[in-house]
Amino acid sequence: MKEHSPVDKFYIWLAEELAELEVNGPKKRRGRKPTKNMYFTYMTDQAIIAYNKETNQLKRNKVFKEHINYPFNKLVENIYHTFRFSYFDVPYEDVKAEVVAFLTEKIGKYQEGKGKAFSYFSIIAKNYLIIQNNANYAKMKRRAETTLIDETRDITNERHMSDYQESLKDFVKQWSGWYDENINVVFTNKRDILVADTILELFRTVDNIENFNKKALYILIRERTGLKTQNITKVLNVMRADFARMFKTYSENGSIQY
């Protein structure tokens, strides 16, 4: 007898689960209190797990369309309107489609047993919107400044600034590499290492990190680590001091010497 695929098993489980709900009502489950309009449930979690394990693309498409697409859209919709991101110059539906596509791209990184899918994808969606919103704000600000100062541009100074930015990028690359190798030497507390690694991950993945404001950075780090602001500030202060000291050395001889 041919063994059922992950998606086939999901639909068999779902039918049994719905039948039991019909007879006995919903079970008491740990976590946030369910509401009548709950759109992202434990069934969604199971659909995502089945989707990730499935090898048949047609079956993947089916379970995504029927049990994942709507929860993803509602999740993005609620986050967008809750936090009132206002620096997008494209229609809201386009923004939502873009974020849902990003969640779909990251769906394979969700691991069974590593927490609720709702929390995992909420953080991804919120972080993505924060990054794009801040980047759009920075672009808008630069356009406004360019309009105001275009007639009084200092080309020589701009060239120096461009050279400085290139040097800074090279330094950040060296600095991040050094911290990757020495993070367990600089920090010995597991909590501090987690914060430091999260900060390094932001440097590795966000090209325009200079566009972030302080509040946005703290939000991202808090959500990724689950730690309080004072725990994050302690690590940031150490890394900031190392950054300044190493950059001084880099400026003098072109490389990091700690």
mmCIF file with all atom_site columns, all heavy atoms in Angstrom, residues 5 16 43 57 62 90-91 99 102 108 112 136 142 150 158 162 167 185 195 212 229 231:
data_model
loop_
_atom_site.group_PDB
_atom_site.id
_atom_site.type_symbol
_atom_site.label_atom_id
_atom_site.label_alt_id
_atom_site.label_comp_id
_atom_site.label_asym_id
_atom_site.label_entity_id
_atom_site.label_seq_id
_atom_site.pdbx_PDB_ins_code
_atom_site.Cartn_x
_atom_site.Cartn_y
_atom_site.Cartn_z
_atom_site.occupancy
_atom_site.B_iso_or_equiv
_atom_site.pdbx_formal_charge
_atom_site.auth_seq_id
_atom_site.auth_comp_id
_atom_site.auth_asym_id
_atom_site.auth_atom_id
_atom_site.pdbx_PDB_model_num
ATOM 1   N N   . SER A 1 5   ? 1.508   10.986 1.589  1.00 0.00 ? 5   SER A N   1
ATOM 2   C CA  . SER A 1 5   ? 2.478   12.077 1.632  1.00 0.00 ? 5   SER A CA  1
ATOM 3   C C   . SER A 1 5   ? 2.158   12.975 2.823  1.00 0.00 ? 5   SER A C   1
ATOM 4   O O   . SER A 1 5   ? 1.076   12.877 3.424  1.00 0.00 ? 5   SER A O   1
ATOM 5   C CB  . SER A 1 5   ? 2.413   12.888 0.337  1.00 0.00 ? 5   SER A CB  1
ATOM 6   O OG  . SER A 1 5   ? 1.259   13.715 0.332  1.00 0.00 ? 5   SER A OG  1
ATOM 7   N N   . GLU A 1 16  ? -10.317 14.370 10.672 1.00 0.00 ? 16  GLU A N   1
ATOM 8   C CA  . GLU A 1 16  ? -10.578 13.779 11.989 1.00 0.00 ? 16  GLU A CA  1
ATOM 9   C C   . GLU A 1 16  ? -10.726 14.855 13.055 1.00 0.00 ? 16  GLU A C   1
ATOM 10  O O   . GLU A 1 16  ? -11.581 14.760 13.945 1.00 0.00 ? 16  GLU A O   1
ATOM 11  C CB  . GLU A 1 16  ? -9.436  12.827 12.355 1.00 0.00 ? 16  GLU A CB  1
ATOM 12  C CG  . GLU A 1 16  ? -9.349  11.595 11.448 1.00 0.00 ? 16  GLU A CG  1
ATOM 13  C CD  . GLU A 1 16  ? -8.113  10.762 11.723 1.00 0.00 ? 16  GLU A CD  1
ATOM 14  O OE1 . GLU A 1 16  ? -7.228  11.254 12.474 1.00 0.00 ? 16  GLU A OE1 1
ATOM 15  O OE2 . GLU A 1 16  ? -8.010  9.632  11.198 1.00 0.00 ? 16  GLU A OE2 1
ATOM 16  N N   . MET A 1 43  ? -4.255  24.608 13.401 1.00 0.00 ? 43  MET A N   1
ATOM 17  C CA  . MET A 1 43  ? -4.430  23.940 12.109 1.00 0.00 ? 43  MET A CA  1
ATOM 18  C C   . MET A 1 43  ? -3.530  24.574 11.048 1.00 0.00 ? 43  MET A C   1
ATOM 19  O O   . MET A 1 43  ? -2.998  23.881 10.175 1.00 0.00 ? 43  MET A O   1
ATOM 20  C CB  . MET A 1 43  ? -5.898  24.013 11.675 1.00 0.00 ? 43  MET A CB  1
ATOM 21  C CG  . MET A 1 43  ? -6.846  23.245 12.575 1.00 0.00 ? 43  MET A CG  1
ATOM 22  S SD  . MET A 1 43  ? -8.554  23.387 11.998 1.00 0.00 ? 43  MET A SD  1
ATOM 23  C CE  . MET A 1 43  ? -9.415  22.520 13.323 1.00 0.00 ? 43  MET A CE  1
ATOM 24  N N   . GLN A 1 57  ? 4.795   19.272 -5.748 1.00 0.00 ? 57  GLN A N   1
ATOM 25  C CA  . GLN A 1 57  ? 4.491   20.700 -5.853 1.00 0.00 ? 57  GLN A CA  1
ATOM 26  C C   . GLN A 1 57  ? 2.996   20.969 -5.960 1.00 0.00 ? 57  GLN A C   1
ATOM 27  O O   . GLN A 1 57  ? 2.496   21.964 -5.430 1.00 0.00 ? 57  GLN A O   1
ATOM 28  C CB  . GLN A 1 57  ? 5.220   21.309 -7.059 1.00 0.00 ? 57  GLN A CB  1
ATOM 29  C CG  . GLN A 1 57  ? 5.167   22.819 -7.112 1.00 0.00 ? 57  GLN A CG  1
ATOM 30  C CD  . GLN A 1 57  ? 5.775   23.472 -5.872 1.00 0.00 ? 57  GLN A CD  1
ATOM 31  O OE1 . GLN A 1 57  ? 6.879   23.104 -5.454 1.00 0.00 ? 57  GLN A OE1 1
ATOM 32  N NE2 . GLN A 1 57  ? 5.089   24.420 -5.275 1.00 0.00 ? 57  GLN A NE2 1
ATOM 33  N N   . LYS A 1 62  ? -1.777  23.200 -3.260 1.00 0.00 ? 62  LYS A N   1
ATOM 34  C CA  . LYS A 1 62  ? -3.143  23.011 -2.765 1.00 0.00 ? 62  LYS A CA  1
ATOM 35  C C   . LYS A 1 62  ? -3.265  23.401 -1.292 1.00 0.00 ? 62  LYS A C   1
ATOM 36  O O   . LYS A 1 62  ? -4.145  24.180 -0.917 1.00 0.00 ? 62  LYS A O   1
ATOM 37  C CB  . LYS A 1 62  ? -3.557  21.542 -2.943 1.00 0.00 ? 62  LYS A CB  1
ATOM 38  C CG  . LYS A 1 62  ? -4.912  21.182 -2.321 1.00 0.00 ? 62  LYS A CG  1
ATOM 39  C CD  . LYS A 1 62  ? -5.213  19.704 -2.534 1.00 0.00 ? 62  LYS A CD  1
ATOM 40  C CE  . LYS A 1 62  ? -6.453  19.268 -1.751 1.00 0.00 ? 62  LYS A CE  1
ATOM 41  N NZ  . LYS A 1 62  ? -7.684  19.981 -2.184 1.00 0.00 ? 62  LYS A NZ  1
ATOM 42  N N   . VAL A 1 90  ? 3.350   53.136 -2.516 1.00 0.00 ? 90  VAL A N   1
ATOM 43  C CA  . VAL A 1 90  ? 2.579   52.254 -3.395 1.00 0.00 ? 90  VAL A CA  1
ATOM 44  C C   . VAL A 1 90  ? 1.302   51.873 -2.662 1.00 0.00 ? 90  VAL A C   1
ATOM 45  O O   . VAL A 1 90  ? 1.227   51.978 -1.425 1.00 0.00 ? 90  VAL A O   1
ATOM 46  C CB  . VAL A 1 90  ? 3.378   50.986 -3.770 1.00 0.00 ? 90  VAL A CB  1
ATOM 47  C CG1 . VAL A 1 90  ? 4.616   51.355 -4.592 1.00 0.00 ? 90  VAL A CG1 1
ATOM 48  C CG2 . VAL A 1 90  ? 3.784   50.207 -2.529 1.00 0.00 ? 90  VAL A CG2 1
ATOM 49  N N   . PRO A 1 91  ? 0.259   51.428 -3.379 1.00 0.00 ? 91  PRO A N   1
ATOM 50  C CA  . PRO A 1 91  ? -1.004  51.068 -2.725 1.00 0.00 ? 91  PRO A CA  1
ATOM 51  C C   . PRO A 1 91  ? -0.819  49.974 -1.664 1.00 0.00 ? 91  PRO A C   1
ATOM 52  O O   . PRO A 1 91  ? 0.067   49.123 -1.783 1.00 0.00 ? 91  PRO A O   1
ATOM 53  C CB  . PRO A 1 91  ? -1.864  50.555 -3.889 1.00 0.00 ? 91  PRO A CB  1
ATOM 54  C CG  . PRO A 1 91  ? -1.298  51.217 -5.100 1.00 0.00 ? 91  PRO A CG  1
ATOM 55  C CD  . PRO A 1 91  ? 0.181   51.324 -4.851 1.00 0.00 ? 91  PRO A CD  1
ATOM 56  N N   . VAL A 1 99  ? 4.742   41.591 1.195  1.00 0.00 ? 99  VAL A N   1
ATOM 57  C CA  . VAL A 1 99  ? 5.093   40.987 2.483  1.00 0.00 ? 99  VAL A CA  1
ATOM 58  C C   . VAL A 1 99  ? 4.663   39.518 2.520  1.00 0.00 ? 99  VAL A C   1
ATOM 59  O O   . VAL A 1 99  ? 5.391   38.664 3.034  1.00 0.00 ? 99  VAL A O   1
ATOM 60  C CB  . VAL A 1 99  ? 4.468   41.765 3.656  1.00 0.00 ? 99  VAL A CB  1
ATOM 61  C CG1 . VAL A 1 99  ? 4.896   41.145 4.987  1.00 0.00 ? 99  VAL A CG1 1
ATOM 62  C CG2 . VAL A 1 99  ? 4.888   43.224 3.612  1.00 0.00 ? 99  VAL A CG2 1
ATOM 63  N N   . PHE A 1 102 ? 7.154   37.593 0.792  1.00 0.00 ? 102 PHE A N   1
ATOM 64  C CA  . PHE A 1 102 ? 8.356   37.448 1.614  1.00 0.00 ? 102 PHE A CA  1
ATOM 65  C C   . PHE A 1 102 ? 8.158   36.344 2.658  1.00 0.00 ? 102 PHE A C   1
ATOM 66  O O   . PHE A 1 102 ? 9.069   35.542 2.903  1.00 0.00 ? 102 PHE A O   1
ATOM 67  C CB  . PHE A 1 102 ? 8.689   38.768 2.301  1.00 0.00 ? 102 PHE A CB  1
ATOM 68  C CG  . PHE A 1 102 ? 9.982   38.756 3.059  1.00 0.00 ? 102 PHE A CG  1
ATOM 69  C CD1 . PHE A 1 102 ? 11.195  38.757 2.394  1.00 0.00 ? 102 PHE A CD1 1
ATOM 70  C CD2 . PHE A 1 102 ? 9.987   38.738 4.450  1.00 0.00 ? 102 PHE A CD2 1
ATOM 71  C CE1 . PHE A 1 102 ? 12.402  38.738 3.098  1.00 0.00 ? 102 PHE A CE1 1
ATOM 72  C CE2 . PHE A 1 102 ? 11.182  38.717 5.156  1.00 0.00 ? 102 PHE A CE2 1
ATOM 73  C CZ  . PHE A 1 102 ? 12.394  38.716 4.475  1.00 0.00 ? 102 PHE A CZ  1
ATOM 74  N N   . GLY A 1 108 ? 10.034  27.988 4.624  1.00 0.00 ? 108 GLY A N   1
ATOM 75  C CA  . GLY A 1 108 ? 10.836  26.789 4.834  1.00 0.00 ? 108 GLY A CA  1
ATOM 76  C C   . GLY A 1 108 ? 11.728  26.854 6.052  1.00 0.00 ? 108 GLY A C   1
ATOM 77  O O   . GLY A 1 108 ? 12.232  25.828 6.522  1.00 0.00 ? 108 GLY A O   1
ATOM 78  N N   . GLU A 1 112 ? 9.273   22.818 13.069 1.00 0.00 ? 112 GLU A N   1
ATOM 79  C CA  . GLU A 1 112 ? 8.296   22.222 13.975 1.00 0.00 ? 112 GLU A CA  1
ATOM 80  C C   . GLU A 1 112 ? 8.892   22.101 15.378 1.00 0.00 ? 112 GLU A C   1
ATOM 81  O O   . GLU A 1 112 ? 10.043  21.695 15.547 1.00 0.00 ? 112 GLU A O   1
ATOM 82  C CB  . GLU A 1 112 ? 7.901   20.840 13.464 1.00 0.00 ? 112 GLU A CB  1
ATOM 83  C CG  . GLU A 1 112 ? 6.844   20.149 14.274 1.00 0.00 ? 112 GLU A CG  1
ATOM 84  C CD  . GLU A 1 112 ? 6.447   18.804 13.694 1.00 0.00 ? 112 GLU A CD  1
ATOM 85  O OE1 . GLU A 1 112 ? 7.051   18.386 12.677 1.00 0.00 ? 112 GLU A OE1 1
ATOM 86  O OE2 . GLU A 1 112 ? 5.534   18.174 14.259 1.00 0.00 ? 112 GLU A OE2 1
ATOM 87  N N   . ASN A 1 136 ? 12.139  53.683 3.151  1.00 0.00 ? 136 ASN A N   1
ATOM 88  C CA  . ASN A 1 136 ? 11.339  54.619 2.358  1.00 0.00 ? 136 ASN A CA  1
ATOM 89  C C   . ASN A 1 136 ? 11.376  56.018 2.948  1.00 0.00 ? 136 ASN A C   1
ATOM 90  O O   . ASN A 1 136 ? 11.425  57.014 2.210  1.00 0.00 ? 136 ASN A O   1
ATOM 91  C CB  . ASN A 1 136 ? 9.881   54.137 2.285  1.00 0.00 ? 136 ASN A CB  1
ATOM 92  C CG  . ASN A 1 136 ? 9.737   52.897 1.430  1.00 0.00 ? 136 ASN A CG  1
ATOM 93  O OD1 . ASN A 1 136 ? 10.575  52.619 0.581  1.00 0.00 ? 136 ASN A OD1 1
ATOM 94  N ND2 . ASN A 1 136 ? 8.676   52.143 1.652  1.00 0.00 ? 136 ASN A ND2 1
ATOM 95  N N   . ARG A 1 142 ? 15.945  62.134 1.826  1.00 0.00 ? 142 ARG A N   1
ATOM 96  C CA  . ARG A 1 142 ? 17.059  62.494 0.939  1.00 0.00 ? 142 ARG A CA  1
ATOM 97  C C   . ARG A 1 142 ? 16.572  63.270 -0.274 1.00 0.00 ? 142 ARG A C   1
ATOM 98  O O   . ARG A 1 142 ? 17.210  64.226 -0.715 1.00 0.00 ? 142 ARG A O   1
ATOM 99  C CB  . ARG A 1 142 ? 17.807  61.238 0.489  1.00 0.00 ? 142 ARG A CB  1
ATOM 100 C CG  . ARG A 1 142 ? 18.720  60.649 1.554  1.00 0.00 ? 142 ARG A CG  1
ATOM 101 C CD  . ARG A 1 142 ? 19.730  59.708 0.930  1.00 0.00 ? 142 ARG A CD  1
ATOM 102 N NE  . ARG A 1 142 ? 19.096  58.571 0.298  1.00 0.00 ? 142 ARG A NE  1
ATOM 103 C CZ  . ARG A 1 142 ? 18.837  57.426 0.921  1.00 0.00 ? 142 ARG A CZ  1
ATOM 104 N NH1 . ARG A 1 142 ? 19.155  57.280 2.189  1.00 0.00 ? 142 ARG A NH1 1
ATOM 105 N NH2 . ARG A 1 142 ? 18.273  56.420 0.289  1.00 0.00 ? 142 ARG A NH2 1
ATOM 106 N N   . ASP A 1 150 ? 20.208  71.533 -3.894 1.00 0.00 ? 150 ASP A N   1
ATOM 107 C CA  . ASP A 1 150 ? 20.799  71.199 -5.191 1.00 0.00 ? 150 ASP A CA  1
ATOM 108 C C   . ASP A 1 150 ? 21.652  72.334 -5.758 1.00 0.00 ? 150 ASP A C   1
ATOM 109 O O   . ASP A 1 150 ? 22.683  72.104 -6.388 1.00 0.00 ? 150 ASP A O   1
ATOM 110 C CB  . ASP A 1 150 ? 19.690  70.840 -6.189 1.00 0.00 ? 150 ASP A CB  1
ATOM 111 C CG  . ASP A 1 150 ? 20.257  70.252 -7.459 1.00 0.00 ? 150 ASP A CG  1
ATOM 112 O OD1 . ASP A 1 150 ? 20.999  69.256 -7.368 1.00 0.00 ? 150 ASP A OD1 1
ATOM 113 O OD2 . ASP A 1 150 ? 19.976  70.795 -8.539 1.00 0.00 ? 150 ASP A OD2 1
ATOM 114 N N   . GLU A 1 158 ? 31.120  66.011 -1.287 1.00 0.00 ? 158 GLU A N   1
ATOM 115 C CA  . GLU A 1 158 ? 30.343  64.818 -1.589 1.00 0.00 ? 158 GLU A CA  1
ATOM 116 C C   . GLU A 1 158 ? 31.258  63.651 -1.951 1.00 0.00 ? 158 GLU A C   1
ATOM 117 O O   . GLU A 1 158 ? 31.000  62.496 -1.584 1.00 0.00 ? 158 GLU A O   1
ATOM 118 C CB  . GLU A 1 158 ? 29.363  65.093 -2.732 1.00 0.00 ? 158 GLU A CB  1
ATOM 119 C CG  . GLU A 1 158 ? 28.201  65.986 -2.331 1.00 0.00 ? 158 GLU A CG  1
ATOM 120 C CD  . GLU A 1 158 ? 27.266  66.256 -3.502 1.00 0.00 ? 158 GLU A CD  1
ATOM 121 O OE1 . GLU A 1 158 ? 27.438  65.608 -4.553 1.00 0.00 ? 158 GLU A OE1 1
ATOM 122 O OE2 . GLU A 1 158 ? 26.385  67.117 -3.363 1.00 0.00 ? 158 GLU A OE2 1
ATOM 123 N N   . SER A 1 162 ? 31.541  60.118 -0.058 1.00 0.00 ? 162 SER A N   1
ATOM 124 C CA  . SER A 1 162 ? 31.402  58.833 -0.744 1.00 0.00 ? 162 SER A CA  1
ATOM 125 C C   . SER A 1 162 ? 32.566  57.906 -0.393 1.00 0.00 ? 162 SER A C   1
ATOM 126 O O   . SER A 1 162 ? 32.369  56.718 -0.136 1.00 0.00 ? 162 SER A O   1
ATOM 127 C CB  . SER A 1 162 ? 31.341  59.049 -2.251 1.00 0.00 ? 162 SER A CB  1
ATOM 128 O OG  . SER A 1 162 ? 31.273  57.814 -2.939 1.00 0.00 ? 162 SER A OG  1
ATOM 129 N N   . SER A 1 167 ? 34.765  53.308 2.837  1.00 0.00 ? 167 SER A N   1
ATOM 130 C CA  . SER A 1 167 ? 35.683  52.845 3.880  1.00 0.00 ? 167 SER A CA  1
ATOM 131 C C   . SER A 1 167 ? 34.909  52.276 5.065  1.00 0.00 ? 167 SER A C   1
ATOM 132 O O   . SER A 1 167 ? 35.303  51.264 5.654  1.00 0.00 ? 167 SER A O   1
ATOM 133 C CB  . SER A 1 167 ? 36.573  54.000 4.358  1.00 0.00 ? 167 SER A CB  1
ATOM 134 O OG  . SER A 1 167 ? 37.420  54.450 3.327  1.00 0.00 ? 167 SER A OG  1
ATOM 135 N N   . VAL A 1 185 ? 34.640  35.341 23.371 1.00 0.00 ? 185 VAL A N   1
ATOM 136 C CA  . VAL A 1 185 ? 35.717  35.892 24.197 1.00 0.00 ? 185 VAL A CA  1
ATOM 137 C C   . VAL A 1 185 ? 35.269  37.213 24.827 1.00 0.00 ? 185 VAL A C   1
ATOM 138 O O   . VAL A 1 185 ? 35.493  37.464 26.017 1.00 0.00 ? 185 VAL A O   1
ATOM 139 C CB  . VAL A 1 185 ? 36.993  36.111 23.358 1.00 0.00 ? 185 VAL A CB  1
ATOM 140 C CG1 . VAL A 1 185 ? 38.089  36.763 24.203 1.00 0.00 ? 185 VAL A CG1 1
ATOM 141 C CG2 . VAL A 1 185 ? 37.479  34.783 22.778 1.00 0.00 ? 185 VAL A CG2 1
ATOM 142 N N   . VAL A 1 195 ? 22.349  38.494 22.358 1.00 0.00 ? 195 VAL A N   1
ATOM 143 C CA  . VAL A 1 195 ? 22.121  39.878 21.927 1.00 0.00 ? 195 VAL A CA  1
ATOM 144 C C   . VAL A 1 195 ? 23.175  40.296 20.911 1.00 0.00 ? 195 VAL A C   1
ATOM 145 O O   . VAL A 1 195 ? 22.859  40.865 19.861 1.00 0.00 ? 195 VAL A O   1
ATOM 146 C CB  . VAL A 1 195 ? 22.142  40.845 23.136 1.00 0.00 ? 195 VAL A CB  1
ATOM 147 C CG1 . VAL A 1 195 ? 22.036  42.292 22.655 1.00 0.00 ? 195 VAL A CG1 1
ATOM 148 C CG2 . VAL A 1 195 ? 21.010  40.524 24.089 1.00 0.00 ? 195 VAL A CG2 1
ATOM 149 N N   . PHE A 1 212 ? 18.120  53.200 10.018 1.00 0.00 ? 212 PHE A N   1
ATOM 150 C CA  . PHE A 1 212 ? 17.306  52.829 11.168 1.00 0.00 ? 212 PHE A CA  1
ATOM 151 C C   . PHE A 1 212 ? 17.399  53.902 12.253 1.00 0.00 ? 212 PHE A C   1
ATOM 152 O O   . PHE A 1 212 ? 18.464  54.436 12.507 1.00 0.00 ? 212 PHE A O   1
ATOM 153 C CB  . PHE A 1 212 ? 17.813  51.515 11.765 1.00 0.00 ? 212 PHE A CB  1
ATOM 154 C CG  . PHE A 1 212 ? 17.290  50.311 11.071 1.00 0.00 ? 212 PHE A CG  1
ATOM 155 C CD1 . PHE A 1 212 ? 17.544  50.082 9.738  1.00 0.00 ? 212 PHE A CD1 1
ATOM 156 C CD2 . PHE A 1 212 ? 16.532  49.394 11.768 1.00 0.00 ? 212 PHE A CD2 1
ATOM 157 C CE1 . PHE A 1 212 ? 17.071  48.973 9.108  1.00 0.00 ? 212 PHE A CE1 1
ATOM 158 C CE2 . PHE A 1 212 ? 16.048  48.271 11.146 1.00 0.00 ? 212 PHE A CE2 1
ATOM 159 C CZ  . PHE A 1 212 ? 16.319  48.054 9.813  1.00 0.00 ? 212 PHE A CZ  1
ATOM 160 N N   . THR A 1 229 ? 15.145  45.927 27.463 1.00 0.00 ? 229 THR A N   1
ATOM 161 C CA  . THR A 1 229 ? 15.996  46.975 26.910 1.00 0.00 ? 229 THR A CA  1
ATOM 162 C C   . THR A 1 229 ? 17.319  47.102 27.655 1.00 0.00 ? 229 THR A C   1
ATOM 163 O O   . THR A 1 229 ? 18.371  47.289 27.036 1.00 0.00 ? 229 THR A O   1
ATOM 164 C CB  . THR A 1 229 ? 15.251  48.331 26.949 1.00 0.00 ? 229 THR A CB  1
ATOM 165 O OG1 . THR A 1 229 ? 14.066  48.220 26.152 1.00 0.00 ? 229 THR A OG1 1
ATOM 166 C CG2 . THR A 1 229 ? 16.121  49.451 26.390 1.00 0.00 ? 229 THR A CG2 1
ATOM 167 N N   . ASN A 1 231 ? 19.087  44.852 29.126 1.00 0.00 ? 231 ASN A N   1
ATOM 168 C CA  . ASN A 1 231 ? 20.005  43.778 28.742 1.00 0.00 ? 231 ASN A CA  1
ATOM 169 C C   . ASN A 1 231 ? 20.654  44.077 27.392 1.00 0.00 ? 231 ASN A C   1
ATOM 170 O O   . ASN A 1 231 ? 21.840  43.783 27.175 1.00 0.00 ? 231 ASN A O   1
ATOM 171 C CB  . ASN A 1 231 ? 19.256  42.447 28.656 1.00 0.00 ? 231 ASN A CB  1
ATOM 172 C CG  . ASN A 1 231 ? 18.587  42.062 29.963 1.00 0.00 ? 231 ASN A CG  1
ATOM 173 O OD1 . ASN A 1 231 ? 17.423  41.694 29.977 1.00 0.00 ? 231 ASN A OD1 1
ATOM 174 N ND2 . ASN A 1 231 ? 19.317  42.142 31.063 1.00 0.00 ? 231 ASN A ND2 1
#
